[in-house]
Amino acid sequence: MAFNLAQLELGARARVTLVGGGGSLALRLLEMGFTPGTVVVLIKRAPFGDPLELQVRGCHVSLRKAEAARIEAVPL
């Protein structure tokens, strides 16, 4: 059951399967560590749900919902 990181529940873990979309944003997400096989944890959501704070490879990264929606994952 694949979903995107914008749909991840607070505290849930997921494994990245695909960074979609192409272009400079997809390249930047890959450079930030969102590569296939990487485990991601949703740490916090802002009050209105945007942005999201994610833990990836031991670092905390903030992404907008639209950016997180481009990253597909499977739950762990």
Side-chain angles (χ1 to χ4, degrees), residues 41-46 51-55 60-63:
V41 180
L42 179 60
I43 302 298
K44 188 178 358 177
R45 280 186 198 275
L52 311 173
E53 181 180 344
L54 301 155
Q55 182 178 10
H60 289 233
V61 176
S62 290
L63 294 180

Side-chain angles (χ1 to χ4, degrees), residues 6-24:
Q7 300 168 319
L8 198 60
E9 296 294 325
L10 195 61
R13 296 166 39 107
R15 185 176 309 276
V16 174
T17 57
L18 176 73
V19 176
S24 60

Side-chain angles (χ1 to χ4, degrees), residues 33-72:
F34 293 95
T35 56
T38 302
V39 175
V40 177
V41 180
L42 179 60
I43 302 298
K44 188 178 358 177
R45 280 186 198 275
F48 293 106
D50 195 22
L52 311 173
E53 181 180 344
L54 301 155
Q55 182 178 10
V56 57
R57 298 180 184 261
C59 297
H60 289 233
V61 176
S62 290
L63 294 180
R64 294 188 183 278
K65 262 180 135 173
E67 296 165 345
R70 296 179 70 162
I71 304 170
E72 293 183 17

